[in-house]
Amino acid sequence: MFVKMIERYAQLVLVNAPTQLALVGLGLVVFVVVERLIAQGRLRAAWARALGLGGLTLSALIGAAARASVVDDAFISFRYVENLLAGHGLVWNLGERVEGYTNLLWVLMLAALSALTPLELPHLALGLNLLTFGLTTLGLAQAERRLTPGAWALPLAPLLYVGQSVVIEHATTGLETSFAAWIVTLGAGALLTGRRPLAVGALLILGVLTRPDFALLWAAAGAALTLDAAMRAEGPWRGQLGAALGVAAPYALSALPYALVMLWRHDYYGDWLPNTYYAKSADLPYWRQGERYAWTFFVGAHLWLTLPLGLAGLWAALRDHTARAFGLFVLLGLPLHVLYVMRVGGDFMYGRFFIVLLPLWALVVALGVAGRSGRWRWAALALALLTTRGVPIIGPEKTRWNITNEGAVYPVTAWWPEVVIDHHNWRAAKALQRLKERGISPIIATSGIGMVGYYSGLTVIDLRGLTDHHTARLPVGKRGMPGHEKWPSHAYLAERGVSVARFVTAHPERWRTLTMIDLGPGVPLDWGFFQYDAGLAKELRTAAPELRFFQPTAHLERWLDRSVRLTDEEILRDVAFWRFYLLARNPDAALAARLDAVLAGRGLTLEPHTVGSPYKIKAGPGPSRRAGPRPRPSRGGSPSPRAACGSRGSRGGRWRCSGCPPPRAPRGACRSGRPRRWGGSRGVRRR
């Protein structure tokens, strides 16, 4: 993996080298011109600083707004806010107390703003994102002035921060990332100004309320203040110990609000930790994926270039008694946070867990540059400017190493009158919202629950377990993308009453087409009935005529007529499908008796499933029996649709199925009775 990553990084560096060098040259020219104008008395340093910071902040905000996104996970928090304001409490599904969020303070802030304004939650989240992003830039400039007074007229640390593409991508997203980075920046500024320990702790405990893993940075700041106080004290060790306790005790009091939150969490949800902790198996080490996550960020953001400057700046901070507490905070906090993120396997969103560390690194790099003199100072500045932009080592086109660039996946295409997101999750959510408005409320199971849950307002079972207590505590099998490694059983979903699911792989491949529901243009054909419900199908025919799906009874009749051509294993698998998919919700004694007769005619038995998948079936020992000649296989090697169920296939459609129904369903098999052409290997309808 590491070799492939370096190869991709080298290719991207070569492609982006002309643009990157041009930006570095432009930055050097601007810094040189401004410094010379100030030296000649033709420009005041205060004016240069104000204009530079204002222009940089405005440009960063415009860039962030142009690349705005609201990722699906943000809508999970939005639904909790909506239920809270509706009087249902902080819940995902009504009546189920599961803490499927980790950003309590962010949720409460959105709830307060939503209660006071008529704006929708996506608008409020984007507004808060941009506001805190701009405040982070201003806070970095203020902290840099305290750390390196008189070094540069123009702000360098804010430039290094907002110049990163990954920072611009996470400046919105609807999540708490920008807010958390602002809190880190304020904490660094408080350490540099010598604020009281209780005030510093109270500020940083807000980060713990925003994300629980922020507790490491809170602890690092407390340790930094305690060590600094001990080093400042003179005299014997008793005096140093007293000075350290005089700082540690009031700092520890700042944890009281979070202790109260822990007690409330245990009383309200029944757990000491959020449900996402269990869903992501954070108790299990996942170093291999964590190394991938850390290396992609460290290399893709060009941070390795600034390692000498950062270490030099950190050493300078540790030697300066006025900046020693800040230096100790960086020395302790950065390694702790990075190691924790690596241990849990990072995140599937590129760079998300490391954004909060970039303000600290930008400050120590700026200090390292300011510590050089003469030509070396300008060389150090050029080296620091090389880290701007970074390279898209993950890229928006695919998932690499179990990491994705979520900001590019969920782009905002319209801001008003509602936030429009160019993603099939948003279009599916809107289609399901129309069902709810027409009085149709099926229970849904899906991954990517955010938009679907927020807009539809339906009961949604999370297939990944973030908001589901049962699935979150399932054991992890093969490790993969963090937070996407668990899957509930068919029995559990059936017990929860799931009717519609984005889970077409729940059924045997030859029958997946039969279960599909077409929710409309731009929505892939990965939605369908989990278990066919005749009553729900009748409601859909009446109230939602634009939806298209198949009526399975006609295909069962054809299958019964053609079952003599199938092997014993195919008989067992197909009977299990018909029992689970059709007859479980729609009991029919006559059809059940005919299925039993097919089994009896082969001397087969099929016990009802109670756990796991109902399709993990093998024929008994001995040769497989067949009542007739084996049908000629279709492309793909499985029995042709006509041989399996008697339906005619379509030679004109691109979408070919190895089972039933065929691409062009016969009259009576499709709900509308009209022929239909389906297109594209991804299952998106051709227009």
Side-chain angles (χ1 to χ4, degrees):
M1 185 281 298
F2 183 76
V3 174
K4 292 182 179 179
M5 182 184 65
I6 295 300
E7 290 177 352
R8 175 170 172 79
Y9 175 71
Q11 293 172 358
L12 292 172
V13 167
L14 291 176
V15 171
N16 292 275
T19 305
Q20 187 73 41
L21 293 176
L23 290 175
V24 172
L26 178 61
L28 286 174
V29 168
V30 171
F31 269 84
V32 169
V33 169
V34 169
E35 291 297 322
R36 287 190 176 181
L37 290 176
I38 293 174
Q40 295 172 1
R42 300 171 62 181
L43 180 64
R44 295 179 59 184
W47 280 102
R49 185 179 302 109
L51 291 175
L53 181 59
L56 178 64
T57 304
L58 182 61
S59 301
L61 289 173
I62 292 174
R67 300 173 64 178
S69 64
V70 184
V71 299
D72 190 80
D73 280 18
F75 287 87
I76 298 177
S77 301
F78 298 167
R79 171 148 162 161
Y80 275 93
V81 171
E82 201 169 56
N83 284 333
L84 176 63
L85 295 178
H88 304 305
L90 280 171
V91 296
W92 173 256
N93 291 322
L94 303 188
E96 300 178 28
R97 293 189 176 184
V98 181
E99 189 180 6
Y101 58 91
T102 55
N103 48 2
L104 175 62
L105 183 57
W106 182 253
V107 167
L108 295 179
M109 290 171 58
L110 290 176
L113 290 174
S114 182
L116 297 174
T117 64
L119 296 176
E120 294 185 350
L121 288 170
H123 287 119
L124 294 174
L126 286 171
L128 268 181
N129 283 155
L130 293 174
L131 175 62
T132 52
F133 176 58
L135 291 175
T136 302
T137 307
L138 299 177
L140 271 176
Q142 189 174 13
E144 184 186 11
R145 285 188 61 192
R146 296 168 182 163
L147 190 62
T148 60
W152 302 101
L154 295 177
L156 178 58
L159 176 61
L160 298 178
Y161 178 70
V162 303
Q164 284 286 350
S165 294
V166 65
V167 171
I168 298 297
E169 290 164 2
H170 283 277
T172 50
T173 74
L175 292 171
E176 73 289 343
T177 309
S178 293
F179 179 66
W182 181 45
I183 292 177
V184 171
T185 305
L186 292 179
L191 289 172
L192 288 170
T193 55
R195 295 286 180 90
R196 293 182 177 180
L198 182 59
V200 177
L203 179 62
L204 290 177
I205 204 67
L206 296 178
V208 186
L209 293 172
T210 303
R211 286 199 60 85
D213 51 13
F214 214 99
L216 294 173
L217 294 178
W218 176 86
L225 287 171
T226 303
L227 289 174
D228 181 59
M231 296 171 70
R232 288 174 182 269
E234 298 180 356
W237 65 270
R238 294 181 183 274
Q240 295 178 341
L241 180 60
L245 291 177
V247 169
Y251 188 87
L253 288 177
S254 64
L256 181 60
Y258 190 70
L260 296 176
V261 168
M262 291 282 288
L263 294 174
W264 166 82
R265 173 185 289 138
H266 188 267
D267 179 67
Y268 190 79
Y269 292 112
D271 288 308
W272 293 107
L273 297 171
N275 193 65
T276 53
Y277 173 85
Y278 305 98
K280 297 182 178 181
S281 299
D283 58 321
L284 301 177
Y286 194 8
W287 289 102
R288 182 178 181 183
Q289 180 61 28
E291 291 170 3
R292 296 171 180 170
Y293 190 75
W295 275 112
T296 52
F297 183 77
F298 184 72
V299 174
H302 298 320
L303 295 182
W304 64 275
L305 289 171
T306 60
L307 190 59
L309 292 175
L311 293 176
L314 180 59
W315 178 249
L318 293 173
R319 296 180 62 186
D320 185 357
H321 71 278
T322 61
R324 186 166 51 206
F326 167 75
L328 290 170
F329 175 49
V330 175
L331 180 65
L332 298 174
L334 260 68
L336 274 177
H337 190 85
V338 170
L339 288 174
Y340 170 78
V341 171
M342 291 175 64
R343 183 192 179 278
V344 300
D347 188 45
F348 71 97
M349 298 188 197
Y350 173 63
R352 178 190 173 198
F353 285 173
F354 291 142
I355 294 295
V356 296
L357 302 180
L358 283 181
L360 301 179
W361 189 249
L363 287 172
V364 295
V365 170
L367 181 57
V369 173
R372 306 308 98 195
S373 60
R375 295 181 178 179
W376 287 107
R377 191 182 192 192
W378 294 106
L381 177 61
L383 182 62
L385 293 177
L386 276 174
T387 63
T388 55
R389 291 186 73 236
V391 294
I393 195 167
I394 298 299
E397 70 278 2
K398 64 183 295 186
T399 298
R400 296 181 189 273
W401 309 300
N402 293 324
I403 307 170
T404 62
N405 186 354
E406 287 286 281
V409 176
Y410 298 97
V412 173
T413 57
W415 289 67
W416 197 260
E418 67 174 347
V419 174
V420 177
I421 300 168
D422 185 16
H423 193 270
H424 60 81
N425 275 8
W426 187 85
R427 292 185 284 272
K430 286 297 183 178
L432 294 171
Q433 180 185 27
R434 290 189 289 270
L435 292 185
K436 181 68 178 296
E437 293 171 349
R438 298 172 189 177
I440 304 175
S441 300
I443 297 178
I444 292 175
T446 179
S447 58
I449 59 173
M451 297 181 192
V452 170
Y454 173 71
Y455 285 111
S456 71
L458 299 171
T459 299
V460 178
I461 309 301
D462 184 7
L463 294 176
R464 300 301 188 183
L466 294 177
T467 61
D468 188 85
H469 186 276
H470 169 81
T471 305
R473 284 153 180 80
L474 292 175
V476 177
K478 182 180 179 181
R479 298 308 303 256
M481 182 180 290
H484 297 72
E485 301 164 306
K486 299 182 179 181
W487 206 270
S489 66
H490 287 64
Y492 174 71
L493 295 178
E495 180 184 350
R496 294 298 304 270
V498 173
S499 299
V500 177
R502 185 169 58 182
F503 188 14
V504 293
T505 57
H507 304 295
E509 184 177 358
R510 66 191 262 112
W511 296 110
R512 289 174 190 170
T513 307
L514 182 65
T515 68
M516 291 179 179
I517 300 176
D518 182 9
L519 294 179
V523 181
L525 293 171
D526 51 8
W527 287 87
F529 284 106
F530 179 70
Q531 288 183 311
Y532 186 78
D533 188 331
L536 174 62
K538 184 177 180 181
E539 292 181 4
L540 292 176
R541 293 189 193 102
T542 303
E546 71 277 6
L547 302 187
R548 301 178 69 83
F549 55 89
F550 292 101
Q551 207 284 338
T553 307
H555 294 277
L556 175 56
E557 293 286 349
R558 289 182 175 85
W559 181 88
L560 289 168
D561 294 338
R562 304 282 180 170
S563 61
V564 294
R565 299 172 179 258
L566 303 178
T567 65
D568 288 354
E569 189 169 335
E570 290 169 340
I571 289 288
L572 288 171
R573 178 193 59 192
D574 292 351
V575 170
F577 168 76
W578 291 117
R579 284 181 175 179
F580 181 82
Y581 178 72
L582 179 59
L583 299 182
R585 295 281 183 91
N586 314 279
D588 189 313
L591 289 176
R594 294 177 67 183
L595 288 174
D596 292 340
V598 171
L599 292 175
R602 299 289 187 94
L604 303 173
T605 58
L606 183 63
E607 297 296 331
H609 82 284
T610 56
V611 295
S613 171
Y615 307 127
K616 293 182 178 179
I617 299 167
K618 293 291 184 182
S624 176
R625 294 185 296 166
R626 183 184 304 279
R630 184 174 181 85
R632 184 171 54 186
S634 61
R635 303 179 185 175
S638 41
S640 66
R642 184 166 182 175
C645 67
S647 302
R648 292 184 179 274
S650 170
R651 297 181 180 273
R654 290 176 56 198
W655 182 47
R656 297 190 61 82
C657 175
S658 61
C660 175
R664 183 173 294 174
R667 187 176 297 276
C670 178
R671 174 176 53 79
S672 66
R674 295 176 298 191
R676 170 72 183 279
R677 184 183 296 274
W678 309 69
S681 59
R682 290 174 174 247
V684 181
R685 187 173 63 179
R686 282 191 302 196
R687 295 179 62 85

